[in-house]
Structure formats: C-alpha cells, structure tokens
Amino acid sequence: MRKLLCILSASAALLAACNNEQVKEEEQVHAHHGTRYANEQLTLQHNEGIAALTFPPVLQPVSRNGQHVTYALTAQKGEMTFVDGITTDTYGYNGNFLGPVLHLTKGEHVTIQLTNALDEPTTFHWHGLEVAGDATDGGPHAVIEPGVTETIDFVVKQQAATLWYHPHPMGQTAKQVYNGLAGLLYIEDDVVRDIPSDYAVNDFPIVLQDRTFVDGNIVYEDVANTSSTLGDTMMINGVVEPFLTTRNEPVRLRLLNGSNALTYYLSFSNDMPFQLLATDGGFLNEPQEMTKLTLGAGERAEILVDLTNVADVALMHDDIVVLPIETTGEAVQANYSNTLNEIALPVDVTTMEPTKHITMEGMTTNFLLNGQTYDETRIDLRQQRGVTEVWEIENIINEEGAMAHPFHIHGTQFHVISVNGEAPDASLQGLKDTVTVQPGQKVRIAVTFHEVGLYMYHCHILEHEDVGMMGQIEVYE
Ligand code: C2O
Ligand code: CU
Ligand code: CU
C-alpha cells in the first residue's frame, strides 16, 4: 500500500512528502552518476520480494518438418490480478500477459502465423533479428488489422543470442508494450559453450519492467509521460515484486530491459563481481568481469553470477532492490569455459571516418533525431547491403537539458567502436542492436546490414519513439 500513496492520494501534504522523498533520491542519484538529469529521477520503490518468480513457457511449434518449423502467435486481450485481488485488463501473446519464449535455431526456416485478436491495429517486431526490412521485420509499416492473420517466413542466419519481440504500431507502441505485449526470442547455434543452459534451473530469463498500478489496474493513459513513463513497482516476467530461489551454483541471468523508459544501473547488493557473457547480439569472445552494468530500454545482457557461497543477495538498480535472490543450500559443482565466441570487427573500422551522423535530443517535449521527427514518406538514410559504414550517434544537450537515450537500429547487430573517442568499455564489446548514449556523448558504431528493405532506427524509450524520435533507412542490394 505504501507505494500507492504517491499516486492515489489527493492530499497535498502527502504529495509534498512524496516529492521530498523524490528530491532526496534524485540528489543521491546525481551524486552517484554525475551526469544523470532531472527527469530520470528514480520513482521505483524497493522490491520487497512478495511472490516467487515464474518463467514464461517455451512456445511449442504448430508443426516441424526437418529444418522447417511453424509457430503461431496471437496478440490478444487478457486479464490479470497483480495487486490486492483487483482484476485489470491486459494484453498478452497467446496468454493474458507478456508472451512465451520463442526458441529458434540458426539455420532453421521459420514460418510464424501472426494473429491480431486485439481491437486495435498492431505489428509483430523481432528486436535484434536480422530479417528482411519488409513485413517480416514488423516495423510500423507492417500493420495487422484486428481479426487478421498474416504469415511471415525467414531463415535464421545469426548466431546464438537473446532477442525479444514486441509491437511497433506508429504512436501506440508504448501503450501496447506497457499493457503486456512483449516476449523473449532465443536463438541457439551449434557452437558448444560450456555455460549454464537449463531453462529456469540455472539459466533464467529476467524481463525487467517497472509499472505504476492505479487502484490495482494497469492504465497506460493515466500514467503516461512523454518524457519517460516510469513505474514505482518492480515487475519481472510479469510477476509483481518477485524473489528468485536457486541452488548454490553459478547461474546465468538473461536480462532484458523491457521497461518503456527506465535505464537500469545494475549491481548486486554485496557488490560482488559477475561475468558478462553476452550482449544484445550474442556472446562476447570471453566473459568480462564487472560489478556494475548499464541497461537502457530494449537492451539485453547475459550475466553469469556465482552463487556457490552466497546465501542472500539482491540485484539492485542504484540503491533500489530490483530482485531479491535466495539460495537453497544445495550446492552444485560447475566449471565453465572461458571461450564463448570469435567475433571480430568486420573491416578495419577503427580508423574509418563516420559517413552517417545522427543527433539525438529532447528531454521534456521535443524529441528529435537530426532535428526532425519521423515522417513515413521520408527516407532518411540509405546504405548498401553488406557494406560496413561508421555511424556517429551524438546525444546533444540543448536548452531543455538532456537525458540518456538508447539508440536502436532494426535488422542488424553492430559493433561499438568508440565512446567520445575512447575505446568502449567491456560492456560494449559484444554485438549490439541498442546502445545507451548518455548526455553529451558521441558514440561511433560500425553497421553492416545483411538483408535489404526499409528499417527503422529510433530511441528505444517507447514514449520518444511514439512521438517521432525515429528515422527510416533503406538498405539496397
Ligand atoms: Cu525494440 Cu523498433 O524496436
Ligand atoms: Cu527493433
Ligand atoms: Cu529518447
């Protein structure tokens, strides 16, 4: 109940009290990170660990014929009880809230039947998947009207990675994701990697989302904020304030920032180190040890956390508890290998000059890429398939101020070459499809497309995307 007070109370005194608390938190945040700006203040409350974490089901195929596999996915309306026995309307894929894990293998020919059982148009976008930039990619042009089923078809050509899927209808993405439309997409390949891979036993999907419940209901319109729709309540895999129970062993957490806007600054409550195994597009060459990890909206990270000698610990966002973890005392011996991948920059891109420049700006109302908002009749950029170009993404501080913007490109996995002219730190050394650019930063990335078509690039704060912080690139043969 405590956490509902700020939203529900009409009492001026209470509101003032809440505001004071926020100011305090904001000051701490500033002290912590230096460059954090006002509207990224934390409103998130500690996760008290009131329910056991559950895991999404793995989607079973409709049919399988050798290398050809067919799945069916329906965007539908649902109902959930999240707080205080109150039933709220939700959206989900093949269920009431969120969606199943789609488990694909490199080399497979995949057909997916997409049904829109909502009362409004939607699309099915495969975030991070390298597929043709047409209806397959599921951007805002690939609208499926209510009651309609369409079929897409592609071959999985990329390496093992944790991707995800979500809707992308123009101006409605934030609401539809907030209401529950999001799911994980795992790609496996045949490279043998000695790492935890028993689903929900030592390899856990962790879909991080923050929500603000209004009288126990999910009502996007009541909490929507163009700057950033933030929640006060932690939800993981669709469970409100969950805790994770696991054996005493090294576990793999597949983290997805599925929040509309929040950038997570993750660490553990005891500051223990963990190993970064993979970023958006797949495995690093070797695990990288770290104690803090930034995860902007849309980004993923797979981490290996050694709980062999840990009884209780919590995953934190700054000093807020995101996920309490308790161990069972049952120890499992495990040794994991150090070689995960062999990725290399495609050509000698570190000395290449950028051929594409993108500025991002906006903090309260005007969210712009290169000073413009999205126009579906305008092709902003063109690039040839198979040719690597360096893009420079700059987050401009203007009169409004600035905030972190996660920059995402459809249909490709890119390499981060530099941040403000310096080599990127370990967390940016794997393949990425989304990179969080902090205020004032210039990030250079090496981008290669392997398919052709029309793709979106945009800020992955869904509110910014919806108001047009998005552009179009045509990839030609
Ligand atoms: Cu996660 Cu344009 O998308
Ligand atoms: Cu995407
Ligand atoms: Cu943004």
Side-chain angles (χ1 to χ4, degrees):
M1 212 50 216
R2 167 183 55 81
K3 54 180 61 72
L4 293 179
L5 283 177
C6 288
I7 309 105
L8 297 183
S9 171
S11 141
L14 267 171
L15 282 175
C18 291
N19 282 338
N20 278 342
E21 241 180 73
Q22 278 179 9
V23 169
K24 244 189 255 144
E25 277 172 6
E26 195 190 324
E27 280 165 4
Q28 284 169 5
V29 166
H30 276 277
H32 213 184
H33 292 284
T35 51
R36 195 83 66 81
Y37 285 75
N39 68 340
E40 267 200 275
Q41 69 194 21
L42 295 183
T43 55
L44 194 63
Q45 305 291 312
H46 288 299
N47 170 354
E48 309 280 357
I50 57 181
L53 184 61
T54 61
F55 305 95
V58 175
L59 185 64
Q60 295 307 308
V62 175
S63 66
R64 183 183 286 279
N65 236 317
Q67 283 282 88
H68 184 195
V69 59
T70 302
Y71 290 98
L73 214 51
T74 300
Q76 60 194 63
K77 292 183 285 185
E79 284 185 342
M80 290 289 285
T81 298
F82 289 111
V83 282
D84 299 337
I86 294 159
T87 302
T88 183
D89 292 333
T90 53
Y91 286 171
Y93 291 112
N94 295 10
N96 286 309
F97 194 75
L98 300 182
V101 179
L102 208 52
H103 209 142
L104 308 181
T105 304
K106 186 177 179 181
E108 259 175 2
H109 171 192
V110 180
T111 299
I112 314 180
Q113 297 156 355
L114 308 169
T115 301
N116 179 3
L118 306 171
D119 294 332
E120 59 179 310
T122 193
T123 81
F124 294 71
H125 170 57
W126 318 94
H127 180 128
L129 195 64
E130 297 184 326
V131 289
D134 53 18
T136 319
D137 175 67
H141 300 286
V143 167
I144 302 180
E145 296 295 337
V148 172
T149 298
E150 302 210 354
T151 299
I152 57 165
D153 219 64
F154 57 90
V155 173
V156 181
K157 293 180 182 161
Q158 71 204 84
Q159 59 181 308
T162 300
L163 313 179
W164 65 302
Y165 59 96
H166 62 78
H168 220 299
M170 195 57 222
Q172 301 299 315
T173 299
K175 183 191 85 175
Q176 291 190 3
V177 172
Y178 194 86
N179 287 352
L181 291 180
L184 286 164
L185 195 177
Y186 288 3
I187 295 179
E188 300 299 339
D189 57 25
D190 55 14
V191 177
V192 178
R193 295 181 189 88
D194 196 12
I195 48 174
S197 49
D198 285 345
Y199 183 75
V201 175
N202 59 13
D203 177 0
F204 299 102
I206 305 285
V207 180
L208 302 171
Q209 297 182 307
D210 56 325
R211 289 290 181 274
T212 300
F213 292 96
V214 181
D215 284 328
N217 291 285
I218 286 188
V219 191
Y220 180 70
E221 291 75 6
D222 286 5
V223 296
N225 177 341
T226 303
S227 175
S228 282
T229 299
L230 301 172
D232 60 359
T233 304
M234 198 60 224
M235 185 168 79
I236 300 178
N237 299 347
V239 183
V240 170
E241 296 200 59
F243 58 86
L244 171 66
T245 307
T246 150
R247 301 180 303 203
N248 289 80
E249 63 182 314
V251 298
R252 173 180 177 188
L253 304 182
R254 301 200 197 208
L255 304 165
L256 159 65
N257 181 345
S259 284
N260 278 39
L262 182 63
T263 301
Y264 293 88
Y265 297 91
L266 299 169
S267 64
F268 287 93
S269 50
N270 60 358
D271 278 321
M272 67 179 172
F274 54 90
Q275 310 285 327
L276 181 70
L277 301 177
T279 54
D280 303 332
F283 289 97
L284 308 180
N285 290 345
E286 284 165 14
Q288 296 289 328
E289 185 168 290
M290 51 188 62
T291 55
K292 283 186 184 344
L293 180 68
T294 299
L295 210 60
E299 288 184 293
R300 286 87 62 211
E302 297 185 33
I303 62 174
L304 185 71
V305 187
D306 190 357
L307 299 173
T308 306
N309 298 307
V310 176
D312 280 297
V313 72
L315 180 67
M316 309 291 288
H317 158 50
D318 284 327
D319 45 11
I320 303 294
V321 174
V322 163
L323 176 64
I325 300 173
E326 55 182 44
T327 51
T328 58
E330 185 193 347
V332 176
Q333 284 312 316
N335 278 312
Y336 293 114
S337 67
N338 239 6
T339 307
L340 301 173
N341 213 347
E342 286 176 3
I343 45 171
L345 288 174
V347 282
D348 191 17
V349 291
T350 45
T351 54
M352 272 167 65
E353 283 304 306
T355 45
K356 292 188 163 46
H357 296 265
I358 305 217
T359 61
M360 301 197 283
E361 62 189 300
M363 186 174 147
T364 50
T365 46
N366 294 309
F367 294 95
L368 307 171
L369 293 182
N370 289 342
Q372 295 179 306
T373 53
Y374 176 75
D375 179 349
E376 63 169 355
T377 65
R378 187 183 69 227
I379 305 293
D380 300 275
L381 299 173
R382 299 182 80 239
Q383 185 165 328
Q384 191 172 4
R385 175 167 90 133
V387 173
T388 301
E389 290 192 43
V390 173
W391 298 29
E392 185 171 79
I393 322 298
E394 181 178 4
N395 184 344
I396 291 180
I397 304 172
N398 66 16
E399 18 348 296
E400 283 188 355
M403 62 186 289
H405 297 284
F407 182 78
H408 169 52
I409 313 176
H410 286 206
T412 185
Q413 293 292 342
F414 53 77
H415 293 265
V416 179
I417 305 166
S418 66
V419 176
N420 286 343
E422 307 280 323
D425 71 27
S427 66
L428 297 175
Q429 284 170 12
L431 287 165
K432 299 280 294 165
D433 56 50
T434 309
V435 60
T436 299
V437 186
Q438 298 289 346
Q441 269 184 352
K442 281 187 189 165
V443 175
R444 286 189 182 181
I445 59 178
V447 181
T448 316
F449 290 92
H450 298 296
E451 302 286 332
V452 296
L454 189 62
Y455 296 99
M456 302 296 128
Y457 56 90
H458 58 88
C459 174
H460 216 285
I461 291 179
L462 301 180
E463 285 74 25
H464 299 181
E465 173 190 330
D466 274 349
V467 296
M469 199 175 177
M470 179 159 73
Q472 313 193 80
I473 180 165
E474 183 179 30
V475 179
Y476 57 94
E477 194 57 63

